[in-house]
Amino acid sequence: CIMDEVFGRENFIATIILKTRSNSRHKRLSILNDYIIFYAKETKHLKYHQLYHEKELDLERFHWVELDNGEVVNIGQLDHIDKSLRPFASEKIQSYSGAGNTIHPFEYKGKIFKPSPSRGWRCSVGNLKKLEQKNRLVIRGNSLRYKYYFDDFPANQINNLWVDQLSEPKKSYVVQTATTVIQRCLLMTTDPGDLVLDPTCGSGTTAEVAEQWGRRWICIDTSRIALNIAKKRLMTALFPYYKLHDEKGHDIRQGFIYKKCPHTTMRTVIYDEPPIIEILYDKVQEDKNKLRITGPFTLETLKKNLDPPTNAKTEQLIQRIFEQLKAAGVKNGLKHEKALLTELKPLSGPHLHAEGFYNTSQGKKKAYFHIGPQFGSVSKRAVNAARRECVQLYDANWLIILSFSFENKISNETVKTRYGHFELTKVCMHDDLLQEDFKEDKRAASFITIGEPNIQVHKKNNTVQIEICGFNIYNPIKDKMEARNINENIAYWMIDDDYDGQHFVVKQVFFCGGNKKEFQKWQKALSHFAKKKERKKVHKTLKIAIDETAFARVYHHLSHPITIQSPKQKMAVKTISQLGEENTTIIEVV
């Protein structure tokens, strides 16, 4: 109903039935499918490519063969099947209606055949004689039928019944869609260079498929975790290199060089026409000497830097935050290191918006809260103002900066140490809190502390190297900062070696999170490039010199050497945690 309202009922194309599982343990009628609803903006302007899948020889349908002596036998009667034999099916040659010279009797091999009274032949009697001359007619029982050879068209059209198992066999997320499903939708309705929009990015399946098939893409999501999963997935993705029609200019909009399949029909047989050439849009000629990676992409935000508005909805949001703080507390990634807040109450100060207490091993301690804007990022100026206000109170043990996002200017220089008697911690709020129907959940990770990476700068002559040496995170139970294992907390990290203070431009990327085996498949695909016997070919193909150790160092804690180009050059190091939280550290090289 919603799609009808948005697109118009006249622009409905089809409902696609997608098989998602092979069995179900449901107590009642098992449901084995989902649905894909297919609409066009305007039906008359719809771009559509017919897709095919390879036809398997169905001996129940294509069970007839013609021997050298002209005898037609069932293929099951043969002891030996010669490759020269062409299996065929005997298809109806009568239509559902008839007129003119399609309703006359036809003589074949001395026998008269008449179409049914309400039907005619699929072609004129004259064309039936042409089919006889081409040995395309066969008698089965009392009927005249058409010889449809299996090799006339060894492919089947893909219709709206997608019953081949296309769902993701091992889902990491409940709503995860298989790449094959997205690929089929994309190839069916777009060309290389077209723009694909996915308003629910998730893990980035649409972006990855669009990137593989040369489509431009825009993906949207409200979850930082989803966006960082997608970024990581794209930056580690490898794709085959598809040959282009425009080999010199590399204009992808001219399309790929697709494989094609000849399609012999009754019409082409009758009129001695060449077979119709069907394009197989999912079968592309590959250049095995080349390998592609994801092209440049940006991460944009539509949020504006606004001061917290003082309206009814904001008051409801703050109340929601208080209730969830009391229910779930502030987490830092470990189950036993969760700070439960009690006696929360709002404050009327311009920069400290609430106060409360939390229990530690040394007893009850006091925390103050600064709540960032509902839409936008908390600024460095606001953090410093809250810190100064907290210093004047003398009774704080912990200052918590709550926000949905933080400016890049808020680095570990801003929050790197205790300010006398209290600790300052950035805490990221989950976007679910913005939902008006949000319910308190003790298990939800609604408030996650953003730890500070321990970064060292190694300077040698006119170059520097950045090293991630550890990860410091506040333990509210012990009331102290603790070092953590890098691999358990940082998924990947990036460097902008000439940071302008506003725009973070990725110059180097390294992965250090989780198990190193996660990247073995990716590394394996690249490993042959480092072999000496392949070096000449790679140099020629990529037109660059390959550093033999470069690929091995993608999984690393130490950056490549960076040349110092100007006095007081600023560098930005962005670390992304396993929970998708970002932290930016600004380094000024003197």
Side-chain angles (χ1 to χ4, degrees):
C1 292
I2 294 174
M3 297 289 280
D4 280 351
E5 184 177 340
V6 172
F7 290 92
R9 183 66 182 83
E10 68 278 7
N11 291 313
F12 168 75
I13 304 299
T15 296
I16 298 170
I17 299 174
L18 172 66
K19 183 179 178 181
T20 56
R21 56 194 69 86
S22 57
N23 56 67
S24 174
R25 296 181 179 179
H26 202 281
K27 293 180 179 179
R28 293 177 289 276
L29 186 65
S30 297
I31 299 174
L32 306 180
N33 70 284
D34 284 337
Y35 297 96
I36 298 174
I37 307 176
F38 185 5
Y39 277 78
K41 184 178 180 182
E42 291 183 80
T43 303
K44 62 181 179 179
H45 296 307
L46 173 67
K47 179 186 292 185
Y48 177 75
H49 300 308
Q50 179 60 56
L51 301 183
Y52 302 91
H53 56 73
E54 186 176 353
K55 183 190 296 181
E56 295 183 0
L57 179 57
D58 181 3
L59 294 180
E60 290 187 4
R61 181 185 179 192
F62 295 91
H63 59 272
W64 301 108
V65 292
E66 187 172 7
L67 303 180
D68 293 338
N69 60 5
E71 182 184 1
V72 175
V73 299
N74 192 303
I75 198 171
Q77 298 175 358
L78 301 178
D79 297 328
H80 173 71
I81 301 176
D82 191 275
K83 291 183 178 179
S84 63
L85 296 177
R86 298 172 63 194
F88 67 85
S90 61
E91 301 285 337
K92 289 182 179 180
I93 203 169
Q94 295 188 20
S95 68
Y96 288 97
S97 61
N101 59 0
T102 67
I103 60 174
H104 300 299
F106 177 72
E107 182 179 352
Y108 177 70
K109 290 187 176 182
K111 188 175 181 179
I112 303 298
F113 294 92
K114 298 180 181 180
S116 300
S118 60
R119 299 183 181 183
W121 304 113
R122 287 168 58 186
C123 60
S124 67
V125 172
N127 286 335
L128 284 176
K129 292 180 180 179
K130 292 182 180 181
L131 291 177
E132 179 183 3
Q133 294 170 2
K134 300 292 177 60
N135 192 26
R136 282 283 180 158
L137 297 179
V138 64
I139 300 174
R140 302 311 319 151
N142 296 319
S143 300
L144 182 66
R145 301 176 77 87
Y146 173 74
K147 286 183 182 177
Y148 176 51
Y149 289 98
F150 176 80
D151 58 12
D152 279 348
F153 188 44
N156 282 329
Q157 286 190 355
I158 292 177
N159 51 37
N160 74 321
L161 297 177
W162 294 6
V163 294
D164 42 338
Q165 191 77 28
L166 295 177
S167 62
E168 192 68 37
K170 295 182 180 179
K171 291 186 178 183
S172 299
Y173 312 96
V174 174
V175 295
Q176 184 172 345
T177 306
T179 56
T180 48
V181 176
I182 301 298
Q183 175 178 303
R184 187 173 286 185
C185 293
L186 185 145
L187 295 177
M188 192 168 60
T189 57
T190 66
D191 286 310
D194 286 352
L195 183 61
V196 177
L197 172 68
D198 184 350
T200 54
C201 177
S203 64
T205 300
T206 299
E208 184 179 39
V209 174
E211 192 74 27
Q212 175 183 348
W213 291 96
R215 275 65 168 173
R216 297 174 296 138
W217 51 269
I218 297 174
C219 290
I220 305 168
D221 212 297
T222 59
S223 167
R224 290 176 301 278
I225 296 176
L227 292 175
N228 279 303
I229 290 172
K231 283 194 295 181
K232 181 177 177 181
R233 180 175 180 177
L234 287 167
M235 287 190 291
T236 58
L238 290 172
F239 308 109
Y241 186 90
Y242 299 143
K243 293 182 179 180
L244 301 173
H245 273 293
D246 183 22
E247 294 184 358
K248 294 183 178 179
H250 298 288
D251 182 5
I252 198 171
R253 295 193 70 87
Q254 294 189 27
F256 301 124
I257 300 178
Y258 298 100
K259 294 181 181 180
K260 299 174 182 178
C261 182
H263 187 180
T264 300
T265 65
M266 182 186 292
R267 177 184 175 83
T268 62
V269 173
I270 291 172
Y271 295 104
D272 286 323
E273 295 176 347
I276 300 169
I277 302 301
E278 305 287 1
I279 299 175
L280 306 181
Y281 288 96
D282 61 338
K283 306 293 183 184
V284 188
Q285 293 186 27
E286 296 182 22
D287 186 340
K288 299 293 185 179
N289 295 323
K290 295 181 181 179
L291 192 70
R292 288 193 301 122
I293 58 174
T294 302
F297 64 90
T298 62
L299 180 65
E300 308 289 345
T301 178
L302 297 179
K303 292 182 177 180
K304 299 179 181 179
N305 288 321
L306 303 172
D307 292 329
T310 56
N311 54 31
K313 287 191 175 181
T314 301
E315 292 177 2
Q316 293 175 5
L317 172 62
I318 292 175
Q319 184 61 34
R320 209 177 301 138
I321 291 171
F322 285 178
E323 292 172 355
Q324 183 61 11
L325 273 172
K326 287 186 282 187
V330 176
K331 300 180 179 181
N332 66 1
L334 295 181
K335 293 182 179 180
H336 60 280
E337 293 184 9
K338 176 174 70 173
L340 292 175
L341 283 304
T342 60
E343 302 177 40
L344 279 170
K345 64 178 183 179
L347 297 176
S348 58
H351 302 293
L352 295 183
H353 304 127
E355 65 177 0
F357 294 91
Y358 63 103
N359 294 320
T360 72
S361 55
Q362 292 85 34
K364 184 181 292 187
K365 296 193 175 183
K366 193 169 188 178
Y368 285 95
F369 297 85
H370 171 86
I371 302 175
Q374 180 175 353
F375 302 105
S377 303
V378 69
S379 65
K380 180 177 180 180
R381 179 181 297 178
V383 173
N384 286 333
R387 174 179 56 80
R388 288 192 297 269
E389 192 171 328
C390 197
V391 168
Q392 297 173 1
L393 294 174
Y394 294 107
D395 62 345
N397 300 105
W398 194 8
L399 172 57
I400 301 174
I401 309 297
L402 296 172
S403 186
F404 294 106
S405 63
F406 297 83
E407 282 187 355
N408 282 345
K409 293 180 181 180
I410 304 176
S411 66
N412 67 339
E413 293 297 318
T414 308
V415 296
K416 67 177 182 178
T417 59
R418 291 180 68 93
Y419 291 94
H421 51 85
F422 67 90
E423 192 77 43
L424 192 154
T425 303
K426 292 183 292 182
V427 172
C428 195
M429 296 189 291
H430 198 281
D431 295 328
D432 287 350
L433 290 165
L434 293 171
Q435 304 299 323
E436 294 185 8
D437 58 351
F438 180 84
K439 301 289 179 63
E440 298 84 29
D441 186 354
K442 293 182 179 180
R443 299 171 297 176
S446 301
F447 308 94
I448 299 291
T449 60
I450 299 178
E452 301 297 332
N454 181 4
I455 298 175
Q456 290 190 12
V457 180
H458 304 286
K459 186 175 180 181
K460 184 178 181 180
N461 298 328
N462 198 40
T463 63
V464 296
Q465 284 184 281
I466 308 298
E467 183 180 8
I468 305 292
C469 298
F471 192 81
N472 299 323
I473 196 164
Y474 180 58
N475 183 341
I477 307 303
K478 297 181 180 178
D479 191 22
K480 68 176 184 179
M481 294 292 288
E482 292 182 340
R484 294 281 180 81
N485 184 286
I486 304 174
N487 295 342
E488 293 177 356
N489 290 274
I490 299 178
Y492 63 100
W493 60 290
M494 304 175 288
I495 298 175
D496 181 353
D497 58 18
D498 191 16
Y499 182 58
D500 64 1
Q502 295 292 331
H503 308 95
F504 188 96
V505 181
V506 179
K507 301 295 181 60
Q508 297 185 31
V509 180
F510 299 93
F511 301 92
C512 57
N515 193 321
K516 192 171 183 178
K517 291 182 180 179
E518 294 176 9
F519 303 99
Q520 283 183 347
K521 183 178 180 181
W522 182 44
Q523 292 171 333
K524 183 179 180 181
L526 293 169
S527 63
H528 68 281
F529 282 155
K531 297 178 181 178
K532 290 184 178 181
K533 65 180 181 180
E534 297 285 343
R535 285 177 64 80
K536 289 185 179 180
K537 183 167 63 177
V538 175
H539 291 175
K540 182 178 180 180
T541 302
L542 300 182
K543 296 181 175 59
I544 59 172
I546 299 295
D547 180 356
E548 292 186 4
T549 63
F551 295 121
R553 294 184 58 231
V554 169
Y555 189 97
H556 215 277
H557 307 139
L558 182 66
S559 74
H560 299 295
I562 301 169
T563 302
I564 302 174
Q565 299 178 350
S566 61
K568 295 186 178 181
Q569 179 177 337
K570 287 186 178 181
M571 301 180 187
V573 179
K574 181 172 289 190
T575 56
I576 292 83
S577 75
Q578 299 286 7
L579 296 172
E581 310 302 346
E582 296 186 1
N583 184 86
T584 303
T585 302
I586 312 300
I587 299 171
E588 188 172 301
V589 181
V590 181

